[in-house]
């Protein structure tokens, strides 16, 4: 199963139409998108949606699959971001501290303190 299949499936489910998803969300042709969804259904082994004249309707299996497809896409994106963060060199840091309180006296030059 490829991530693009999951992206396509989620886009179709969100759009409610293969044509709308293909043209407006995925910028591909509807026949190509239909083939990709069919390939996904073959791999899963069950129909994920019913195709009709007025769009698509997810099957009960498709509804269950949709939640997991969304989670898989979120996890894949998180993995990509983690890898990119790990590849960046550590950034140098600069720390500055302060001492405060009533008992602090003046500091003299040369390491000696005047009392």
């Amino acid at each position: 199963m490829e991530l693009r299949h999951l992206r396509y499936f989620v886009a179709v489910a969100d759009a409610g139409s293969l044509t709308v998803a293909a043209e407006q969300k995925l910028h591909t042709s509807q026949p190509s998108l239909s083939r990709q969804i069919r390939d996904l259904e073959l791999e899963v082994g069950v129909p994920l949606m019913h195709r009709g004249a007025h769009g698509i309707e997810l099957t009960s299996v498709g509804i269950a699959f949709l939640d997991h497809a969304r989670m898989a896409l979120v996890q894949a994106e998180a993995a990509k971001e983690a890898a990119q963060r790990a590849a960046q060199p550590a950034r140098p840091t600069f720390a500055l501290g302060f001492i405060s309180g009533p008992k602090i006296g003046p500091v003299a030059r040369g390491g000696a303190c005047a009392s």
Side-chain angles (χ1 to χ4, degrees):
M1 188 174 312
E2 298 180 27
L3 287 177
R4 72 181 156 89
H5 287 131
L6 298 179
R7 283 188 194 97
Y8 291 172
F9 174 73
V10 170
V12 171
D14 288 347
S17 164
L18 284 159
T19 304
V20 171
E23 293 173 358
Q24 295 178 8
K25 293 186 172 211
L26 300 170
H27 309 290
T28 189
S29 69
Q30 185 272 328
S32 173
L33 179 57
S34 290
R35 275 191 304 276
Q36 297 296 321
I37 297 297
R38 213 171 14 255
D39 289 347
L40 177 62
E41 289 176 319
L42 287 172
E43 186 164 346
V44 173
V46 291
L48 299 172
M49 59 185 68
H50 297 294
R51 293 144 178 91
H54 300 290
I56 62 99
E57 183 178 336
L58 294 180
T59 62
S60 59
V61 174
I63 292 168
F65 186 79
L66 179 60
D67 288 337
H68 291 279
R70 288 186 200 281
M71 286 189 292
L73 292 172
V74 167
Q75 287 295 316
E77 185 61 29
K80 175 183 164 186
E81 290 171 3
Q84 289 172 342
R85 280 192 309 273
Q88 293 177 357
R91 295 188 179 132
T93 58
F94 176 74
L96 181 62
F98 293 94
I99 300 174
S100 63
K103 299 230 177 205
I104 296 177
V107 178
R109 291 193 177 136
C113 292
S115 304

